[in-house]
Amino acid sequence: MTYNTIILGAGAAGMMCAAHCGGRVLVIDHAKAPGEKIRISGGGRCNFTNMYAGPANFLSQNPHFCKSALARYTQWDFIDLVGRHGIAWHEKTLGQLFCDDSSKQIVQMLLDEMTRAGADLWLRTEVKALRKTEAGFALEVDREGARHSLTCHNLVLATGGKSIPKMGATGLAYDIAQQFNLRVTDTRAALVPFTFSDGRFKELSGVSLPARLSNDRNSFDEALLFTHRGLSGPSVLQLSSYWHEAEAIRVNLIPDLPLFDLLRDQRQAGGRKALTTELARHLPSRLVDHLAQHIPMKGNLADQSDAALNDLISALSEWQLTPSGTEGYRTAEVTLGGIDTDDLSSKTMEARDVPGLYAIGEAVDVTGWLGGYNFQWAWSSGHAAGKAISAR
């Protein structure tokens, strides 16, 4: 069977690409259903894009690579598509957009777009062999126990990265890229919780508060969540993409709280109160109890000099922690790194030295922040490749 285009991966990028390729298109995936990461995202409501998506929200060895695709298919273009399909949505914090109802609506929208474009979908299908031909590519695939020989002019790698292997994630895109001499940058888990081998935060599991997490490369003001294994929450997931092994992070537990002024004023009005009691008015009490084991907090407010209060503020705003590691690909939302952008065209996503071979989405060394940015990269890069293929 001969196709104009075969797309490996029925995820966000692959389905988006299939809707724009034109010609005879086949999408292949080993999963039982398409768009599984879409389905589970955003608590089942899919944080499908971000109102503020732009190049600054993406990590890559080449920070300029994503600009072209993001500019030619923006968040507003995808929002318009969602609207045309009658999907109601709402904005949460920091420009994050979610379905009012279910993430399954986004999956169905993409399937409808694929149907409109005439693309075929084969699920429960595994690639067994792949080679380059003069006309394009030849594949041997196993579809539910039956062997098929396929050929195509264009091959699109849209199988994602290594994150969440229990959903079937593999490094297939990287293996195929290397088969055709495309380079692959170092990869690691990103948007992932930090772990501490000593279990120091077990007693705080479930405690959450606004915080600022930072290192020498970036800083994020979002919620922090203590877990039985370490630290999680949006601020942690964001910083994990910028974290290097054995590196200390800084935690500010009071980023927008004028705690010095509050404590000093209360010292005048109610100096007999225990310092820890007053702190528990502004921070979770379980956290105060934990911190009291490491930071001087004894005595009443009246016993605290301005210098002592300043020392306390410094300890709470400059808490240094060194994670043992992260939860790894098991819970990572994305894979950092991937197919080297130096080997791809930023306009078409085509391999520079392998005509007809394209790479899109998470498989590429472009990784977005938490908050809908990675989906936007999937839409933008999938659209870029699809339009380039349709124009050939």
Side-chain angles (χ1 to χ4, degrees):
M1 287 178 279
T2 299
Y3 291 86
N4 184 53
T5 304
I6 292 179
I7 300 171
L8 303 183
M15 289 194 286
M16 188 68 171
C17 183
H20 293 91
C21 285
R24 193 172 185 216
V25 178
L26 174 64
V27 180
I28 290 174
D29 202 297
H30 67 274
K32 297 178 182 178
E36 282 294 88
K37 281 193 176 181
I38 299 173
R39 181 183 61 81
I40 68 168
S41 68
R45 291 191 174 181
C46 187
N47 179 192
F48 56 80
T49 192
N50 194 291
M51 293 178 67
Y52 306 116
N57 306 113
F58 294 86
L59 293 82
S60 174
Q61 288 192 359
N62 179 359
H64 302 290
F65 180 84
C66 65
K67 291 180 178 179
S68 177
L70 290 172
R72 287 182 292 120
Y73 192 87
T74 70
Q75 58 269 44
W76 309 112
D77 294 313
F78 193 78
I79 291 169
D80 180 63
L81 177 63
V82 169
R84 295 201 307 271
H85 282 259
I87 300 174
W89 55 271
H90 60 277
E91 178 188 357
K92 285 192 176 180
T93 58
L94 304 174
Q96 301 171 68
L97 304 188
F98 291 78
C99 298
D100 284 357
D101 185 12
S102 170
S103 56
K104 294 178 182 178
Q105 294 174 290
I106 300 296
V107 177
Q108 189 59 54
M109 176 190 77
L110 294 168
L111 289 172
D112 290 345
E113 289 291 304
M114 286 173 55
T115 299
R116 179 191 57 77
D120 294 328
L121 173 62
W122 284 11
L123 299 172
R124 294 187 174 95
T125 303
E126 295 186 11
V127 177
K128 295 298 185 181
L130 169 65
R131 61 184 175 84
K132 188 78 173 69
T133 66
E134 287 188 8
F137 303 87
L139 297 83
E140 293 291 326
V141 303
D142 187 311
R143 186 187 188 194
E144 298 183 338
R147 197 83 169 198
H148 299 271
S149 297
L150 308 173
T151 59
C152 60
H153 302 299
N154 307 297
L155 181 68
V156 182
L157 305 181
T159 58
K162 300 176 181 178
S163 58
I164 318 183
K166 69 179 181 181
M167 295 188 66
T170 68
L172 178 62
Y174 311 143
D175 295 338
I176 295 174
Q178 291 174 324
Q179 176 183 341
F180 293 108
N181 296 318
L182 273 66
R183 292 165 291 184
V184 176
T185 70
D186 291 338
T187 58
R188 62 181 175 85
L191 299 183
V192 63
F194 289 133
T195 58
F196 292 79
S197 58
D198 57 8
R200 70 182 72 178
F201 299 126
K202 283 184 179 179
E203 64 187 40
L204 294 177
S205 182
V207 172
S208 178
L209 74 162
R212 176 178 299 140
L213 266 70
S214 59
N215 60 13
D216 293 339
R217 288 172 294 284
N218 218 321
S219 176
F220 295 94
D221 284 39
E222 294 189 60
L224 165 67
L225 172 67
F226 293 91
T227 73
H228 69 287
R229 288 175 55 83
L231 301 177
S232 189
S235 61
V236 170
L237 301 187
Q238 296 281 38
L239 192 65
S240 71
S241 296
Y242 294 86
W243 181 74
H244 295 158
E245 190 173 352
E247 177 185 54
I249 61 173
R250 297 184 294 275
V251 180
N252 184 343
L253 298 169
I254 50 172
D256 299 312
L257 187 67
L259 188 59
F260 178 83
D261 293 336
L262 292 171
L263 293 177
R264 186 176 57 181
D265 292 346
Q266 189 60 33
R267 184 178 61 187
Q268 298 297 322
R272 293 184 179 180
K273 284 186 178 180
L275 174 59
T276 52
T277 300
E278 183 61 23
L279 280 176
R281 292 181 56 205
H282 307 289
L283 296 170
S285 58
R286 285 165 59 194
L287 178 58
V288 173
D289 291 342
H290 175 85
L291 293 171
Q293 302 172 38
H294 310 281
I295 301 173
M297 294 186 187
K298 293 182 179 179
N300 297 330
L301 279 169
D303 302 325
Q304 313 301 319
S305 65
D306 282 359
L309 291 181
N310 272 318
D311 288 343
L312 174 63
I313 300 305
S314 294
L316 295 175
S317 59
E318 299 175 12
W319 192 14
Q320 296 250 347
L321 296 170
T322 303
S324 303
T326 72
E327 293 280 2
Y329 291 118
R330 183 179 65 85
T331 62
E333 297 205 13
V334 292
T335 302
L336 188 72
I339 298 171
D340 197 324
T341 58
D342 285 348
D343 291 339
L344 302 174
S345 163
S346 62
K347 183 176 181 181
T348 66
M349 310 303 294
E350 185 177 18
R352 296 185 184 279
D353 297 328
V354 189
L357 180 64
Y358 297 77
I360 58 177
E362 189 183 350
V364 179
D365 176 29
V366 175
T367 305
W369 288 7
L370 182 74
Y373 298 100
N374 286 291
F375 274 131
Q376 185 56 48
W377 172 244
W379 317 138
S380 296
S381 60
H383 177 270
K387 286 296 187 182
I389 289 170
S390 69
R392 290 185 68 158

